[in-house]
PDB file of all heavy atoms in Angstrom:
ATOM      1  N   GLU A 573      -4.146   5.979   3.962  1.00 97.00           N
ATOM      2  CA  GLU A 573      -4.418   5.217   2.750  1.00 97.00           C
ATOM      3  C   GLU A 573      -5.888   4.740   2.646  1.00 97.00           C
ATOM      4  O   GLU A 573      -6.478   4.731   1.602  1.00 97.00           O
ATOM      5  CB  GLU A 573      -3.402   4.106   2.524  1.00 97.00           C
ATOM      6  CG  GLU A 573      -3.706   3.411   1.092  1.00 97.00           C
ATOM      7  CD  GLU A 573      -2.698   2.374   0.609  1.00 97.00           C
ATOM      8  OE1 GLU A 573      -2.791   1.372   1.411  1.00 97.00           O
ATOM      9  OE2 GLU A 573      -2.007   2.629  -0.190  1.00 97.00           O
ATOM     10  N   GLN A 574      -6.361   4.187   3.796  1.00 97.00           N
ATOM     11  CA  GLN A 574      -7.766   3.753   3.751  1.00 97.00           C
ATOM     12  C   GLN A 574      -8.784   4.846   3.436  1.00 97.00           C
ATOM     13  O   GLN A 574      -9.690   4.673   2.760  1.00 97.00           O
ATOM     14  CB  GLN A 574      -8.147   3.045   5.086  1.00 97.00           C
ATOM     15  CG  GLN A 574      -7.350   1.758   5.361  1.00 97.00           C
ATOM     16  CD  GLN A 574      -8.099   0.519   4.742  1.00 97.00           C
ATOM     17  OE1 GLN A 574      -9.102   0.305   5.305  1.00 97.00           O
ATOM     18  NE2 GLN A 574      -7.427  -0.001   3.683  1.00 97.00           N
ATOM     19  N   ARG A 575      -8.348   6.140   4.010  1.00 98.00           N
ATOM     20  CA  ARG A 575      -9.200   7.172   3.693  1.00 98.00           C
ATOM     21  C   ARG A 575      -9.183   7.612   2.244  1.00 98.00           C
ATOM     22  O   ARG A 575     -10.187   7.909   1.570  1.00 98.00           O
ATOM     23  CB  ARG A 575      -8.726   8.450   4.514  1.00 98.00           C
ATOM     24  CG  ARG A 575      -9.636   9.632   4.353  1.00 98.00           C
ATOM     25  CD  ARG A 575      -9.193  10.784   5.358  1.00 98.00           C
ATOM     26  NE  ARG A 575      -9.406  10.554   6.778  1.00 98.00           N
ATOM     27  CZ  ARG A 575      -8.501  10.471   7.644  1.00 98.00           C
ATOM     28  NH1 ARG A 575      -7.169  10.490   7.412  1.00 98.00           N
ATOM     29  NH2 ARG A 575      -8.864  10.169   8.934  1.00 98.00           N
ATOM     30  N   ARG A 576      -7.999   7.443   1.563  1.00 98.00           N
ATOM     31  CA  ARG A 576      -7.792   7.645   0.177  1.00 98.00           C
ATOM     32  C   ARG A 576      -8.675   6.690  -0.615  1.00 98.00           C
ATOM     33  O   ARG A 576      -9.253   6.895  -1.633  1.00 98.00           O
ATOM     34  CB  ARG A 576      -6.372   7.537  -0.289  1.00 98.00           C
ATOM     35  CG  ARG A 576      -5.531   8.720   0.235  1.00 98.00           C
ATOM     36  CD  ARG A 576      -4.139   8.896  -0.409  1.00 98.00           C
ATOM     37  NE  ARG A 576      -3.306   7.665  -0.196  1.00 98.00           N
ATOM     38  CZ  ARG A 576      -2.344   7.635   0.666  1.00 98.00           C
ATOM     39  NH1 ARG A 576      -2.190   8.601   1.567  1.00 98.00           N
ATOM     40  NH2 ARG A 576      -1.599   6.536   0.829  1.00 98.00           N
ATOM     41  N   LEU A 577      -8.664   5.385  -0.231  1.00 98.00           N
ATOM     42  CA  LEU A 577      -9.449   4.375  -0.733  1.00 98.00           C
ATOM     43  C   LEU A 577     -10.968   4.752  -0.747  1.00 98.00           C
ATOM     44  O   LEU A 577     -11.657   4.511  -1.796  1.00 98.00           O
ATOM     45  CB  LEU A 577      -9.157   3.044  -0.137  1.00 98.00           C
ATOM     46  CG  LEU A 577      -9.923   1.811  -0.633  1.00 98.00           C
ATOM     47  CD1 LEU A 577      -9.563   1.532  -2.190  1.00 98.00           C
ATOM     48  CD2 LEU A 577      -9.590   0.553   0.206  1.00 98.00           C
ATOM     49  N   PHE A 578     -11.404   5.164   0.377  1.00 98.00           N
ATOM     50  CA  PHE A 578     -12.866   5.525   0.480  1.00 98.00           C
ATOM     51  C   PHE A 578     -13.188   6.685  -0.443  1.00 98.00           C
ATOM     52  O   PHE A 578     -14.248   6.817  -0.991  1.00 98.00           O
ATOM     53  CB  PHE A 578     -13.158   5.941   1.998  1.00 98.00           C
ATOM     54  CG  PHE A 578     -14.570   5.874   2.341  1.00 98.00           C
ATOM     55  CD1 PHE A 578     -15.423   4.639   2.311  1.00 98.00           C
ATOM     56  CD2 PHE A 578     -15.251   7.027   2.707  1.00 98.00           C
ATOM     57  CE1 PHE A 578     -16.742   4.685   2.631  1.00 98.00           C
ATOM     58  CE2 PHE A 578     -16.615   7.124   3.036  1.00 98.00           C
ATOM     59  CZ  PHE A 578     -17.293   5.934   3.044  1.00 98.00           C
ATOM     60  N   TYR A 579     -12.158   7.715  -0.488  1.00 98.00           N
ATOM     61  CA  TYR A 579     -12.376   8.812  -1.310  1.00 98.00           C
ATOM     62  C   TYR A 579     -12.453   8.408  -2.855  1.00 98.00           C
ATOM     63  O   TYR A 579     -13.369   8.985  -3.496  1.00 98.00           O
ATOM     64  CB  TYR A 579     -11.046   9.645  -1.191  1.00 98.00           C
ATOM     65  CG  TYR A 579     -10.857  10.907  -1.996  1.00 98.00           C
ATOM     66  CD1 TYR A 579     -11.642  12.065  -1.791  1.00 98.00           C
ATOM     67  CD2 TYR A 579      -9.900  10.905  -2.992  1.00 98.00           C
ATOM     68  CE1 TYR A 579     -11.424  13.183  -2.519  1.00 98.00           C
ATOM     69  CE2 TYR A 579      -9.614  12.125  -3.695  1.00 98.00           C
ATOM     70  CZ  TYR A 579     -10.455  13.195  -3.473  1.00 98.00           C
ATOM     71  OH  TYR A 579     -10.193  14.357  -4.301  1.00 98.00           O
ATOM     72  N   VAL A 580     -11.735   7.524  -3.126  1.00 98.00           N
ATOM     73  CA  VAL A 580     -11.850   6.863  -4.496  1.00 98.00           C
ATOM     74  C   VAL A 580     -13.186   6.298  -4.726  1.00 98.00           C
ATOM     75  O   VAL A 580     -13.880   6.561  -5.747  1.00 98.00           O
ATOM     76  CB  VAL A 580     -10.672   5.869  -4.804  1.00 98.00           C
ATOM     77  CG1 VAL A 580     -10.964   5.081  -6.142  1.00 98.00           C
ATOM     78  CG2 VAL A 580      -9.381   6.539  -4.970  1.00 98.00           C
ATOM     79  N   ALA A 581     -13.686   5.581  -3.778  1.00 98.00           N
ATOM     80  CA  ALA A 581     -14.924   4.872  -3.925  1.00 98.00           C
ATOM     81  C   ALA A 581     -16.108   5.825  -4.068  1.00 98.00           C
ATOM     82  O   ALA A 581     -16.949   5.565  -4.896  1.00 98.00           O
ATOM     83  CB  ALA A 581     -15.129   3.885  -2.746  1.00 98.00           C
ATOM     84  N   ILE A 582     -16.207   6.813  -3.210  1.00 98.00           N
ATOM     85  CA  ILE A 582     -17.288   7.663  -3.299  1.00 98.00           C
ATOM     86  C   ILE A 582     -17.298   8.657  -4.379  1.00 98.00           C
ATOM     87  O   ILE A 582     -18.352   9.248  -4.767  1.00 98.00           O
ATOM     88  CB  ILE A 582     -17.481   8.455  -2.036  1.00 98.00           C
ATOM     89  CG1 ILE A 582     -16.292   9.533  -1.839  1.00 98.00           C
ATOM     90  CG2 ILE A 582     -17.577   7.614  -0.742  1.00 98.00           C
ATOM     91  CD1 ILE A 582     -16.540  10.387  -0.573  1.00 98.00           C
ATOM     92  N   THR A 583     -16.267   8.698  -5.157  1.00 98.00           N
ATOM     93  CA  THR A 583     -16.118   9.635  -6.303  1.00 98.00           C
ATOM     94  C   THR A 583     -16.341   8.894  -7.659  1.00 98.00           C
ATOM     95  O   THR A 583     -15.813   9.325  -8.657  1.00 98.00           O
ATOM     96  CB  THR A 583     -14.831  10.484  -6.304  1.00 98.00           C
ATOM     97  OG1 THR A 583     -13.747   9.581  -6.270  1.00 98.00           O
ATOM     98  CG2 THR A 583     -14.757  11.428  -5.199  1.00 98.00           C
TER      99      THR A 583
END
Side-chain angles (χ1 to χ4, degrees):
E573 183 178 66
Q574 292 274 291
R575 186 177 287 117
R576 294 194 294 265
L577 179 60
F578 198 64
Y579 177 72
V580 166
I582 68 175
T583 53

